Amino acid sequence: MKEPRDHEGNQASGRDTVQNTQEHDQRSHKGWRGGDHRMQSGSRRKVPAPNHGIEGNWRERESVKMMGPETEDDKHEDLRRNRGDVKEKRPPLQNSGPRRGGGSERRAANCTKPLKSKESQTGCLIEQLTEEKYECMVCCDTIRLVAPVWSCQSCFHVFHLNCIKKWARSPTSQADDGKEGWRCPACQHVTLKVPNAYTCFCGKVCNPEFQRTEIPHSCGDMCGKKRNGGDCSHPCNILCHPGPCPQCPAFITKSCVCGRMSKQVRCSQPGPLLCEDVCGALLNCSQHKCAQVCHASPCPPCKLLVQQACFCGVVFRDVACGTDSEHFDGSGYFSCSKTCGKILDCQSHHCQQFCHPGQCQPCPLSPKLVHSCSCGQTPLSKLLELGYPERKTCTDPIPSCGKTCNKPLPCGDYDSVHLCEKLCHEDICGPCSLTSSIKCRCGSNSKKVPCAVIETEGDMVFICEKRCSKKRSCGRHKCGEMCCVDMEHKCAMICGYKLNCGLHRCQELCHRGNCQPCWQTSFDELACYCGETVLFPPIPCGTRPPECKNVCTRGHECDHPVFHSCHNEEKCPPCTYLMKKWCMGNHEERSNIPCHLQDISCGLVCDKLLDCGSHHCKRICHRGDCQEDGVCKQPCIFPKPGCSHPCAAPCHPGMPCPPSVCSAKVAVQCDCGRKKETVPCAEASNSYQRYAAIAVASKLSDIQLGESVDIGPLTKKEQKKARLECDQECATLERNRRLAEALQIDQSLDPFNKSTSSKYTDSLKEDARKDLKFVREIEEEMKRLVESANKGKQAKRSHCFPPMKREQRRLIHELAEVYGVESTSYDNEPKRNVVITAVRGKSVCPNVGLAAVIERETVSRAPPPIAHFKQHSKHSSAREQRVFVVLLRIKNFHLSRNTSAPAFSHIRYPFRDQPASASICYMERKLHLVWLALKCRKWLELDRTGMLSEST
């Protein structure tokens, strides 16, 4: 073996010196920690980490080489040093430091001062503890020089003793997974015992005294602790110190792995010592040797291919040398799982066992091994006494005892086993002639099968078609397996749910609870759109770009100033700059309209002339054409030829109006004007035609008699309107009018309650007759409401009726119009109700209510009062006599023509038996008779001319 040259060692030492100088210069530049800079706990990075920890908490740095960039020369140098190519110079021993107190001998001769370099964790701890700049991670307070402390032996962080006691007893510090002990606040290292004493860093002195010339919280003696890592047996030889012990500087003689070379190296040198010779160790096959250069890892298995035979020598295989070498029995290495087939020692039978190592067992039919008959119930000695021949070889038959075999067969039920029914025999038992009841694998079904098909115990179980309906372990899917016997029901499907990033899906087996966070990580910088704000790697998957407060720099459609910040969305927010814009129909210019609004409606009617030339657009201000399909659908405005109403058919420019029935509503009334109705125009026209036909027919009859007829009234426009027929109420009103005129009564005083009765329509009366009790309740409530509004302090009073049917609500609305009360419906069916509001000065109660009017019309009239005779003048008696004569003539006229006059047959004429001085009540009846006479004057004229008929 070649010895390394001295100048190579000098060159190596010089290279280390130059490297240390360069790295020392690098530490002086920006980026290296020093002075009051802080180091993050557990930091092992090659570049300085940002300060995220508590002030004064430092971790030990690696060696100088680890802190700086590693070059190829350094790698080759380490390799040569491990292989023995470089011979390092042994540095001189460290000088012993000054004694404590001037004459104390507490320090050993080989003890040195701890390193105070700011590049090591120990140096930083010493400096910050001395300057009282180190903070406790529990209370975040500065650790004083005389305060009791405790130091973690894993991360070497220093804490107040009282703080760490409180932390160790808190539930937060307990170890996970139910383990005993508590966790360090910094490194989470589990410690079993809770600290209860204040000791120095090396643990030899309790309650150490503070000396200004010594390290705070140290005893001032040699540390003496065992160094961490490696097999170093030398204790730490520096003074009691915080932080980890430095590497051992001692030199030891160390051999390489193969044992061919040895040299002196530092005790703390990591890794085994290697040489450049071939290893030469036996491989796993114990036949070949390792051909690699001296290495630290175990030798690889032998890769040479050899042919191996099974134990029975029938099957061969090609495998690596040394495979199953421990199973070699002299003939084979493995079992082929086939029948052995070797000839036994009897030379008559073959081995029936599976391929096995070693020799085959003796023949099972040998006379030495067989001591009973084939069924095993009778010993051969007893059969020999009965005269059976003795067996001398294995080929001799075994005597039969003649009994039933009774060996158990593989068939049978769970509570019983079938036995062989043959006589004692040598061959295999069976088949059985019975049937067996077998159960399925899950035990829910059973069936009977012939025993002949059952050969093994596996045939006693079958698989049914019942699917398992239990939930799997995930709680989402059902098992669904046929004849399931699984107890855990583990789900074998992939979860597939989207992860929190929203981009990837969970690839784990289906599970309960939330999925794990996405493990995908990007090592590229993530910046905003403008690039001013940057997130540095590593960046978890799904992280959104950072928010940037700068103004957006994207291109915009308008030239208005930009007010929104930089964003990551592709589309910018709409521009909100206020400006003036015209509406879609160019009707008016609107102010204060945001820039992004394009279609603005002014809310007015479009009113543009359509293509038909007759209509204007009725849509609210809109965009685009007024007619979407190009066809005007508004109703035609030209009048119909038969009436003056519009055509109302869909617009048909250039074409005559189509013939159709006019559906316009027209107002018709009776001759007296009391009855008024709204009917379709077509019905009104038909009624007028009937009326005109009757009138024309009567005029034609007069023309035939030679009389002149005036047909002018039939051609007047105002006479072409349809008329309603007057009813009994109209006749009553006319009678009252004539009576008031005859008696000279002022009609404005409403003596006959005409205004009251006329307020209630026929339909309202008809509806009120159906539920008179309901009408009374409504009127009472309305009267009370109107009185309270007129007499109370408030000008308006409201009342809410309970929900009711539609017919009842309509009745309330019509009654509210009579009382002058506002009525409104609210809510939806079936809870729709009516709210009425009475207003002072507008709402008035009628003189007679609707219920009273209906009762008066329903009840029969009382008989007329008895007349009281008074003396009248001669003129009144003469007038009454003339009226009586006219009535007698009319009656005699009807009697002479043998016609009945029902209108006069019931009239009583009291003038014959009573004096002329009758009461005023009889005067009314007389006037009524006069009116009847006047109405019948036409009959007299027709009778005179000979045109009176029964129909007339």
Side-chain angles (χ1 to χ4, degrees):
M1 183 176 180
K2 296 182 180 180
E3 295 292 338
R5 292 179 294 179
D6 292 340
H7 66 88
E8 293 179 356
N10 296 335
Q11 292 178 0
S13 299
R15 187 183 301 111
D16 292 342
T17 303
V18 173
Q19 183 178 356
N20 294 338
T21 304
Q22 294 176 353
E23 291 182 354
H24 179 73
D25 295 338
Q26 292 177 359
R27 297 187 185 106
S28 301
H29 288 82
K30 182 178 179 181
W32 288 88
R33 291 188 179 86
D36 294 339
H37 290 275
R38 308 302 190 254
M39 179 185 291
Q40 186 181 0
S41 175
S43 176
R44 299 290 184 182
R45 301 174 62 180
K46 296 181 180 181
V47 294
N51 181 16
H52 298 296
I54 298 174
E55 180 180 0
N57 296 353
W58 288 79
R59 297 283 289 177
E60 182 185 9
R61 288 183 177 271
E62 297 293 338
S63 61
V64 175
K65 183 189 299 183
M66 188 172 185
M67 299 303 294
E70 188 176 5
T71 60
E72 294 295 332
D73 296 338
D74 298 333
K75 295 180 181 179
H76 292 298
E77 180 182 354
D78 292 341
L79 183 61
R80 289 195 302 270
R81 185 181 297 109
N82 289 339
R83 295 191 179 279
D85 294 345
V86 180
K87 186 175 182 181
E88 298 180 357
K89 291 186 178 181
R90 182 173 181 178
L93 294 175
Q94 297 179 1
N95 298 328
S96 58
R99 295 182 179 272
R100 187 174 187 179
S104 176
E105 297 181 0
R106 297 171 60 185
R107 197 173 289 111
N110 59 348
C111 182
T112 60
K113 287 186 177 181
L115 299 176
K116 292 187 178 181
S117 174
K118 297 180 181 180
E119 300 302 330
S120 65
Q121 183 183 8
T122 302
C124 293
L125 287 173
I126 293 173
E127 180 182 358
Q128 295 178 14
L129 288 173
T130 303
E131 298 177 358
E132 293 186 347
K133 294 182 179 180
Y134 194 87
E135 292 182 357
C136 175
M137 289 186 63
V138 179
C139 65
C140 297
D141 194 8
T142 305
I143 296 179
R144 302 301 176 183
L145 297 175
V146 294
V149 297
W150 176 84
S151 178
C152 177
Q153 297 302 315
S154 176
C155 62
F156 303 102
H157 277 74
V158 182
F159 308 90
H160 287 118
L161 182 61
N162 294 333
C163 294
I164 205 64
K165 285 182 180 180
K166 294 179 182 179
W167 169 263
R169 295 189 183 97
S170 65
T172 310
S173 65
Q174 301 304 313
D176 298 334
D177 302 331
K179 296 181 181 179
E180 295 182 358
W182 55 277
R183 297 176 290 106
C184 173
C187 64
Q188 308 299 314
H189 175 71
V190 178
T191 305
L192 298 178
K193 294 183 179 180
V194 178
N196 54 6
Y198 169 41
T199 61
C200 62
F201 296 112
C202 62
K204 292 184 293 185
V205 178
C206 292
N207 300 322
E209 298 179 359
F210 170 67
Q211 298 290 337
R212 294 190 177 274
T213 58
E214 302 294 343
I215 300 174
H217 314 290
S218 67
C219 60
D221 291 338
M222 186 178 69
C223 178
K225 292 190 298 185
K226 185 179 180 180
R227 305 177 192 273
N228 296 330
D231 298 330
C232 179
S233 59
H234 306 96
C236 179
N237 60 344
I238 64 176
L239 298 179
C240 182
H241 60 90
C245 297
Q247 296 182 356
C248 181
F251 280 81
I252 59 174
T253 302
K254 196 172 184 179
S255 300
C256 65
V257 177
C258 62
R260 294 186 175 88
M261 185 267 292
S262 61
K263 60 175 295 188
Q264 283 190 348
V265 295
R266 286 186 179 274
C267 179
S268 59
Q269 179 178 337
L273 190 62
L274 304 176
C275 66
E276 295 182 352
D277 295 340
V278 179
C279 177
L282 288 176
L283 300 179
N284 59 336
C285 61
S286 302
Q287 296 180 2
H288 307 96
K289 294 183 179 182
C290 179
Q292 294 184 0
V293 181
C294 183
H295 55 89
S297 59
C299 296
C302 185
K303 298 181 181 180
L304 184 64
L305 294 179
V306 295
Q307 191 179 48
Q308 292 181 351
C310 65
F311 297 120
C312 61
V314 177
V315 180
F316 295 89
R317 67 178 183 181
D318 293 335
V319 295
C321 181
T323 304
D324 294 334
S325 59
E326 65 276 5
H327 298 154
F328 182 66
D329 64 342
S331 60
Y333 291 87
F334 65 97
S335 174
C336 62
S337 301
K338 297 181 180 179
T339 304
C340 180
K342 292 182 180 179
I343 298 178
L344 302 178
D345 52 359
C346 65
Q347 302 298 325
S348 299
H349 301 93
H350 295 272
C351 180
Q352 299 299 322
Q353 296 181 352
F354 292 110
C355 183
H356 58 87
Q359 297 181 356
C360 298
Q361 296 182 0
C363 181
L365 299 178
S366 175
K368 298 180 180 180
L369 301 178
V370 179
H371 301 287
S372 61
C373 63
S374 299
C375 65
Q377 301 181 38
T378 306
L380 291 181
S381 58
K382 191 172 183 179
L383 295 177
L384 292 177
E385 295 176 358
L386 296 177
Y388 284 93
E390 183 181 1
R391 296 181 71 250
K392 296 183 179 179
T393 61
C394 61
T395 57
D396 294 339
I398 300 176
S400 175
C401 63
K403 300 179 182 179
T404 304
C405 181
N406 287 337
K407 288 183 178 180
L409 298 176
C411 57
D413 300 333
Y414 285 94
D415 54 350
S416 62
V417 179
H418 294 174
L419 302 177
C420 181
E421 298 177 353
K422 294 181 180 180
L423 298 179
C424 183
H425 58 90
E426 295 186 17
D427 55 349
I428 300 175
C429 297
C432 181
S433 59
L434 303 177
T435 58
S436 299
S437 177
I438 61 176
K439 287 189 176 182
C440 65
R441 185 172 60 178
C442 64
S444 59
N445 297 322
S446 61
K447 66 178 181 179
K448 290 187 177 182
V449 296
C451 294
V453 301
I454 300 176
E455 298 179 356
T456 61
E457 293 183 359
D459 298 334
M460 294 292 293
V461 180
F462 71 97
I463 298 177
C464 67
E465 296 182 356
K466 180 181 177 181
R467 291 189 178 274
C468 181
S469 59
K470 292 184 179 180
K471 286 287 187 71
R472 293 184 177 178
S473 58
C474 62
R476 293 166 49 194
H477 306 106
K478 288 187 177 181
C479 179
E481 185 179 353
M482 292 285 191
C483 196
C484 178
V485 293
D486 192 3
M487 300 299 294
E488 298 181 357
H489 296 280
K490 291 185 177 181
C491 186
M493 301 178 66
I494 300 299
C495 177
Y497 273 14
K498 273 194 175 183
L499 300 179
N500 56 351
C501 64
L503 302 175
H504 305 94
R505 295 185 178 271
C506 181
Q507 299 299 325
E508 298 181 359
L509 294 179
C510 198
H511 55 84
R512 291 181 179 269
N514 298 331
C515 300
Q516 296 290 335
C518 183
W519 296 105
Q520 301 288 340
T521 304
S522 174
F523 291 93
D524 297 330
E525 294 180 353
L526 183 62
C528 64
Y529 180 81
C530 64
E532 294 294 334
T533 307
V534 182
L535 289 179
F536 295 97
I539 298 174
C541 181
T543 303
R544 297 179 60 85
E547 294 184 1
C548 181
K549 297 183 179 179
N550 298 328
V551 179
C552 179
T553 58
R554 298 173 184 258
H556 300 86
E557 297 179 357
C558 59
D559 298 333
H560 299 139
V562 179
F563 297 104
H564 58 271
S565 302
C566 179
H567 54 90
N568 299 293
E569 293 78 11
E570 293 295 333
K571 189 176 181 181
C572 289
C575 179
T576 58
Y577 190 83
L578 300 181
M579 56 185 302
K580 293 184 178 181
K581 285 190 175 183
W582 283 89
C583 64
M584 293 180 288
N586 290 330
H587 301 127
E588 61 179 3
E589 188 178 14
R590 308 298 296 264
S591 301
N592 298 330
I593 304 299
C595 175
H596 68 277
L597 295 180
Q598 299 298 331
D599 300 330
I600 305 168
S601 176
C602 60
L604 302 177
V605 179
C606 180
D607 203 30
K608 290 182 180 179
L609 185 64
L610 301 181
D611 296 339
C612 64
S614 302
H615 300 96
H616 292 265
C617 180
K618 296 183 179 180
R619 295 170 59 188
I620 302 299
C621 182
H622 59 88
R623 68 168 179 269
D625 297 335
C626 295
Q627 299 176 358
E628 297 180 355
D629 52 357
V631 179
C632 179
K633 297 182 180 179
Q634 295 187 24
C636 180
I637 60 177
F638 293 100
K640 284 179 171 291
C643 61
S644 60
H645 298 121
C647 174
C651 184
H652 45 83
M655 299 176 62
C657 296
S660 61
V661 177
C662 183
S663 59
K665 300 292 183 180
V666 294
V668 295
Q669 61 183 8
C670 62
D671 293 334
C672 67
R674 188 190 68 85
K675 293 178 61 177
K676 295 180 180 180
E677 291 184 6
T678 302
V679 297
C681 178
E683 296 182 5
S685 177
N686 294 335
S687 63
Y688 168 75
Q689 290 176 2
R690 290 195 301 270
Y691 173 80
I694 295 173
V696 170
S698 63
K699 299 293 182 182
L700 290 176
S701 62
D702 293 342
I703 295 174
Q704 292 176 357
L705 295 175
E707 296 181 358
S708 61
V709 177
D710 185 12
I711 62 173
L714 298 178
T715 59
K716 291 183 179 180
K717 184 176 182 181
E718 58 272 8
Q719 297 294 333
K720 291 185 178 180
K721 295 183 179 179
R723 299 286 181 178
L724 296 177
E725 296 181 359
C726 292
D727 55 2
Q728 186 65 28
E729 186 70 19
C730 295
T732 302
L733 293 177
E734 181 65 19
R735 178 183 64 82
N736 294 338
R737 186 187 65 80
R738 290 176 178 272
L739 182 61
E741 183 179 358
L743 299 176
Q744 297 181 357
I745 298 175
D746 189 4
Q747 297 186 12
S748 62
L749 300 178
D750 194 12
F752 303 104
N753 293 328
K754 174 182 176 182
S755 60
T756 302
S757 59
S758 62
K759 289 184 179 180
Y760 306 111
T761 61
D762 295 340
S763 60
L764 179 59
K765 294 178 181 179
E766 192 70 25
D767 295 338
R769 289 189 182 97
K770 298 178 182 178
D771 194 352
L772 195 59
K773 181 180 178 182
F774 175 76
V775 173
R776 289 195 186 97
E777 295 176 355
I778 297 301
E779 283 190 324
E780 290 178 1
E781 187 62 38
M782 287 188 177
K783 289 178 181 179
R784 185 193 62 78
L785 191 66
V786 171
E787 291 177 358
S788 61
N790 292 331
K791 298 179 181 180
K793 295 182 179 180
Q794 298 180 359
K796 289 186 178 181
R797 289 295 183 92
S798 299
H799 175 74
C800 179
F801 289 102
M804 56 186 66
K805 296 181 180 179
R806 180 179 298 175
E807 294 77 9
Q808 295 175 337
R809 296 197 304 269
R810 185 176 67 251
L811 185 60
I812 293 177
H813 288 304
E814 293 181 2
L815 272 177
E817 293 180 1
V818 176
Y819 281 78
V821 177
E822 299 176 358
S823 61
T824 309
S825 297
Y826 294 97
D827 295 337
N828 298 325
E829 297 289 354
K831 294 185 178 181
R832 193 168 180 82
N833 61 342
V834 179
V835 177
I836 59 175
T837 303
V839 183
R840 183 185 301 170
K842 180 180 179 183
S843 303
V844 179
C845 295
N847 296 330
V848 181
L850 177 61
V853 172
I854 295 175
E855 290 177 354
R856 189 180 63 182
E857 294 178 355
T858 305
V859 178
S860 61
R861 292 184 178 181
I866 299 175
H868 297 279
F869 299 99
K870 293 182 180 181
Q871 296 297 330
H872 292 272
S873 62
K874 296 180 178 180
H875 299 284
S876 61
S877 299
R879 187 165 52 251
E880 292 174 357
Q881 292 295 332
R882 286 196 300 271
V883 172
F884 176 71
V885 171
V886 172
L887 293 175
L888 286 178
R889 289 179 180 178
I890 295 173
K891 186 174 183 181
N892 294 332
F893 168 74
H894 286 286
L895 293 175
S896 62
R897 295 186 63 88
N898 295 325
T899 58
S900 61
F904 305 102
S905 60
H906 67 282
I907 300 178
R908 296 174 61 190
Y909 305 100
F911 306 105
R912 294 180 181 179
D913 301 329
Q914 297 179 3
S917 56
S919 64
I920 191 64
C921 296
Y922 281 91
M923 197 67 188
E924 179 183 352
R925 178 173 295 183
K926 293 173 186 178
L927 293 174
H928 182 61
L929 293 175
V930 171
W931 177 75
L932 291 177
L934 294 175
K935 289 287 290 185
C936 295
R937 187 173 60 179
K938 185 177 181 180
W939 293 359
L940 297 176
E941 294 177 356
L942 294 176
D943 181 66
R944 181 175 56 84
T945 57
M947 296 180 62
L948 182 65
S949 62
E950 294 182 2
S951 60
T952 306

